[in-house]
Amino acid sequence: MKFYWCTTRHFSGDLCVTTQVAIINQLLKAGHEVIVLGPDAPTEAYSWTHVQLDQSSVKGRKASTLAKNIRNHLKGIDLSHCVLLIDWALVRPLSSLAETCGARWICIDRSPPADANLFAKMQQRVWKKAWKLVASSLRHNGACIGGTVVSLAHKALIKNQFSINDNHLCIVHAGVDNQLFQPTNRANLEPPINMVYHGKIDRHRGILKLILLLDALEDNGIEAELNLIGSGDLDSHLTNLANSKPNLHVHGSVHHSRIPTMLRGCDIGLLPMPNLPVWTISSPLKRSEYISSGLLVLGIDHSGHHLPIKNEDAEWYQLFDQQTFVDDTVQQIQQWIDDGDFRTLSQQARTYAETNLAWSKTIQPLVDFVEIVEE
């Protein structure tokens, strides 16, 4: 089957594109053809057809101009035996083309708008409209197959808010390349404890709570270092703070190829995103990468941070109430130090990743979902 993926993602330097590349590769392995239509092309080798199309540089007009160019590109193509994978930001302008041409289409939703600004509020309306179009097409036996979500909580939200049945929603959890990410070789959890967060460094992601954690560990006599990898609206504040905190390391944005080596040098991965709607339905890529690297994981307790496949005995994975996160985390780190079984816990984390988080496993539901169209 031939797939056209209409995407707003940038393939050069965007960490968020990791999942998309993994999905494309799994579809190729399943014998499908994938053609990507987007604003740029990867800077590294890739095995699919990639068409770079122009878009406006003006914020607020990027998606509309890109969609116009995608429509123009597709107009001369027979789409009757194709499937369009459409990022939710492009559903409104492109779904009508799919319906007219008789092309089956799927709404790809890796996350609703996550930022806390005016533009994100405007995007929220676009996101809702996309899912309303999915629901309308399904109700009227149109060309839409359904949509993808990233977690059970995300699925429940879409199902309840837009009245879409379970069989039209496919969960694609964040996975990991277990060959690329390799476990740490540390035998014990010894000072300085190396903690890491990687992703956007934004205020509403709970990053400042990690600074409080670093101070609390120091107050309790536990030598620790905090590595922050990424960029965001806290860049200047944290860079200035690091000048007076030698145990705070602000790395800024780094190429994703460097992340595996950086994680391998750490002990504990952190998930500070607060108990807010946008995070409670998430499936953080960083979580899978922490676990594959054999890190012990500490985070805020909400559905978006729960393991995708339950493991009641996962002592290496601990979530705490948002209000007591700092104190509880200090106690947990001290307990891990006292217990002296870091190697065992690290190996258990790695085994979980190999068993449950390989991309081949997390993407298989999507492969099954789209192959129903061929039957």
Side-chain angles (χ1 to χ4, degrees):
M1 183 179 295
K2 180 183 289 188
F3 291 88
Y4 284 92
W5 195 327
C6 307
T7 183
T8 59
R9 292 289 189 198
H10 288 270
F11 278 67
S12 54
D14 186 350
L15 293 183
C16 296
V17 83
T18 302
T19 300
Q20 194 160 352
V21 170
I23 291 174
I24 293 169
N25 285 330
Q26 289 301 318
L27 288 173
L28 293 174
K29 285 181 181 178
H32 302 294
E33 180 182 357
V34 181
I35 300 170
V36 178
L37 308 177
D40 67 2
T43 54
E44 299 173 352
Y46 54 94
S47 52
W48 60 90
T49 302
H50 203 110
V51 180
Q52 181 175 343
L53 298 168
D54 292 335
Q55 69 172 177
S56 172
S57 60
V58 179
K59 197 168 187 177
R61 286 188 47 78
K62 293 182 179 181
S64 61
T65 55
L66 177 62
K68 180 181 178 180
N69 289 325
I70 291 176
R71 284 181 68 96
N72 289 337
H73 181 85
L74 292 174
K75 276 182 179 178
I77 298 173
D78 180 8
L79 300 175
S80 58
H81 299 291
C82 301
V83 174
L84 302 187
L85 306 176
I86 309 177
D87 287 6
W88 62 257
L90 298 172
V91 163
R92 185 172 185 175
L94 295 182
S95 60
S96 58
L97 174 66
E99 297 285 349
T100 302
C101 296
R104 307 307 301 273
W105 63 278
I106 298 172
C107 173
I108 304 296
D109 185 358
R110 296 306 301 163
S111 171
D115 293 330
N117 53 36
L118 179 61
F119 181 69
K121 291 179 180 178
M122 294 169 61
Q123 287 290 88
Q124 191 74 24
R125 293 198 293 269
V126 177
W127 175 80
K128 288 181 179 179
K129 180 62 177 178
W131 279 109
K132 286 179 180 178
L133 287 168
V134 171
S136 176
S137 180
L138 292 171
R139 280 197 308 271
H140 295 93
N141 295 317
C144 185
I145 301 168
T148 69
V149 292
V150 300
S151 66
L152 281 170
H154 192 187
K155 183 176 184 178
L157 172 70
I158 300 300
K159 177 182 175 182
N160 295 332
Q161 189 167 345
F162 302 101
S163 300
I164 297 175
N165 292 334
D166 277 355
N167 60 320
H168 292 297
L169 296 172
C170 175
I171 299 176
V172 182
H173 297 291
V176 67
D177 183 340
N178 286 311
Q179 296 298 316
L180 185 62
F181 289 83
Q182 291 293 318
T184 176
N185 293 321
R186 282 177 169 72
N188 298 300
L189 191 61
E190 298 174 337
I193 310 301
N194 273 294
M195 304 182 297
V196 63
Y197 165 90
H198 87 76
K200 283 195 174 181
I201 309 294
D202 287 346
R203 190 175 301 273
H204 72 292
R205 282 174 165 81
I207 305 301
L208 293 179
K209 196 174 284 288
L210 301 183
I211 306 301
L212 297 178
L213 171 60
L214 190 62
D215 291 340
L217 287 167
E218 187 174 356
D219 291 342
N220 283 269
I222 301 174
E223 187 181 354
E225 297 187 356
L226 174 60
N227 296 275
L228 299 177
I229 306 170
S231 63
D233 61 23
L234 284 173
D235 284 353
S236 59
H237 174 74
L238 292 171
T239 300
N240 291 334
L241 194 60
N243 291 330
S244 59
K245 279 184 174 295
N247 55 349
L248 173 61
H249 308 290
V250 181
H251 298 275
S253 295
V254 304
H255 194 275
H256 192 259
S257 61
R258 292 179 54 199
I259 299 294
T261 301
M262 297 178 80
L263 293 187
R264 205 175 304 141
C266 296
D267 306 303
I268 295 173
L270 299 168
L271 298 172
M273 290 79 79
N275 189 4
L276 296 173
V278 69
W279 306 127
T280 58
I281 65 171
S282 67
S283 178
L285 181 65
K286 63 179 68 65
R287 175 184 61 194
S288 298
E289 294 175 348
Y290 292 162
I291 297 171
S292 182
S293 302
L295 304 189
L296 312 188
V297 181
L298 295 164
I300 304 292
D301 188 7
H302 57 68
S303 57
H305 287 162
H306 293 171
L307 290 170
I309 306 299
K310 287 186 178 180
N311 185 335
E312 303 296 342
D313 299 323
E315 294 181 21
W316 47 269
Y317 194 89
Q318 297 294 322
L319 303 177
F320 301 113
D321 183 85
Q322 187 168 310
Q323 301 304 317
T324 59
F325 170 74
V326 171
D327 290 341
D328 291 343
T329 295
V330 171
Q331 291 180 25
Q332 181 62 67
I333 291 175
Q334 185 62 65
Q335 182 178 326
W336 278 335
I337 293 172
D338 294 341
D339 290 346
D341 56 357
F342 176 81
R343 174 174 287 173
T344 299
L345 296 178
S346 177
Q347 289 172 344
Q348 290 173 355
R350 173 66 183 189
T351 299
Y352 180 93
E354 292 173 344
T355 304
N356 301 297
L357 299 180
W359 283 119
S360 59
K361 293 182 180 294
T362 63
I363 295 172
Q364 188 59 43
L366 177 60
V367 175
D368 296 340
F369 187 66
V370 298
E371 287 183 348
I372 293 174
V373 182
E374 292 184 307
E375 296 177 358

